[in-house]
């Protein structure tokens, strides 16, 4: 997808706002005790922030697994994000899949609640990276 600079900036800003809003949804839903849904919203908060970072840098991913993979290849491997960030994103993806699609399974408060602060920190790191970096090309991040 070829985006003009302003279009790219608008989408990045929208995705970051969406990440923040979705984190708030996760908090509100958790306060009601809906832990499967809270896990889902935590994943999507991290997903939107991750997508913003990829879009900001012109890196395309066509699936949820692709976003997780490209964050690892393009930012963790390069030392821009920590390996813990990749692990967090992978864990959240698994939690969302399990909570949404597994029968006779429910996440508990003790599983989900510890994920809130790491997700908020992850979003903040991505916001900082975006604000510090000029738009780069995918080849600046993915090394063979």
């Amino acid at each position: 997808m070829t985006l003009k600079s302003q279009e790219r900036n608008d989408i990045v800003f929208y995705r970051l706002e969406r990440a923040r809003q979705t984190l708030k949804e996760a908090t509100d839903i958790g306060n009601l005790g809906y832990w499967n849904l809270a896990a889902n919203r935590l994943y999507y908060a991290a997903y939107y922030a991750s997508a913003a970072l990829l879009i900001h840098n012109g890196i395309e991913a066509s699936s949820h697994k692709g976003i997780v993979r490209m964050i690892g290849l393009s930012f963790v491997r390069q030392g821009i994000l920590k390996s813990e960030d990749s692990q967090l994103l992978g864990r959240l993806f698994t939690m969302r899949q399990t909570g949404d699609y597994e029968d006779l399974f429910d996440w508990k408060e003790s599983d989900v609640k510890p994920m809130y602060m790491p997700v908020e920190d992850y979003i903040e790191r991505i916001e900082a990276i975006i604000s510090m970096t000029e738009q780069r090309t995918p080849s600046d991040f993915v090394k063979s």
Side-chain angles (χ1 to χ4, degrees), residues 86-96 107 111 115:
S86 183
Q87 292 167 2
L88 172 68
L89 197 54
R91 174 78 174 133
L92 291 166
F93 178 76
T94 299
M95 288 178 77
R96 177 222 159 211
W107 288 110
D111 300 315
M115 306 302 285

Side-chain angles (χ1 to χ4, degrees), residues 52-63:
L53 182 59
L54 294 177
I55 292 166
H56 175 73
N57 291 288
I59 300 169
E60 292 189 32
S62 59
S63 67

Side-chain angles (χ1 to χ4, degrees), residues 12 14-27 37-53 64 67 71 88-89 92-93 96 115-127:
V12 168
Y14 172 77
R15 291 289 175 113
L16 290 174
E17 286 294 311
R18 192 85 193 265
R20 286 281 173 197
Q21 180 61 39
T22 305
L23 181 58
K24 183 182 178 329
E25 290 172 6
T27 302
L37 188 53
N40 172 292
R41 302 322 293 156
L42 284 170
Y43 165 72
Y44 274 101
Y47 168 85
Y48 293 134
S50 299
L53 182 59
H64 287 262
I67 285 191
I71 288 293
L88 172 68
L89 197 54
L92 291 166
F93 178 76
R96 177 222 159 211
M115 306 302 285
Y116 283 93
M117 189 55 78
V119 171
E120 184 170 1
D121 292 345
Y122 179 73
I123 293 168
E124 287 175 3
R125 275 191 296 286
I126 287 179
E127 288 171 334

Side-chain angles (χ1 to χ4, degrees), residues 69-130:
R69 182 173 181 272
M70 291 310 295
I71 288 293
L73 287 174
S74 302
F75 297 95
V76 175
R77 184 184 278 179
Q78 304 305 317
I80 297 165
L81 288 171
K82 301 180 287 186
S83 63
E84 292 85 2
D85 294 322
S86 183
Q87 292 167 2
L88 172 68
L89 197 54
R91 174 78 174 133
L92 291 166
F93 178 76
T94 299
M95 288 178 77
R96 177 222 159 211
Q97 292 289 102
T98 304
D100 286 357
Y101 300 112
E102 291 292 320
D103 291 327
L104 304 174
F105 180 88
D106 288 303
W107 288 110
K108 297 180 212 111
E109 179 179 4
S110 60
D111 300 315
V112 178
K113 208 165 189 180
M115 306 302 285
Y116 283 93
M117 189 55 78
V119 171
E120 184 170 1
D121 292 345
Y122 179 73
I123 293 168
E124 287 175 3
R125 275 191 296 286
I126 287 179
E127 288 171 334
I129 292 166
I130 289 172

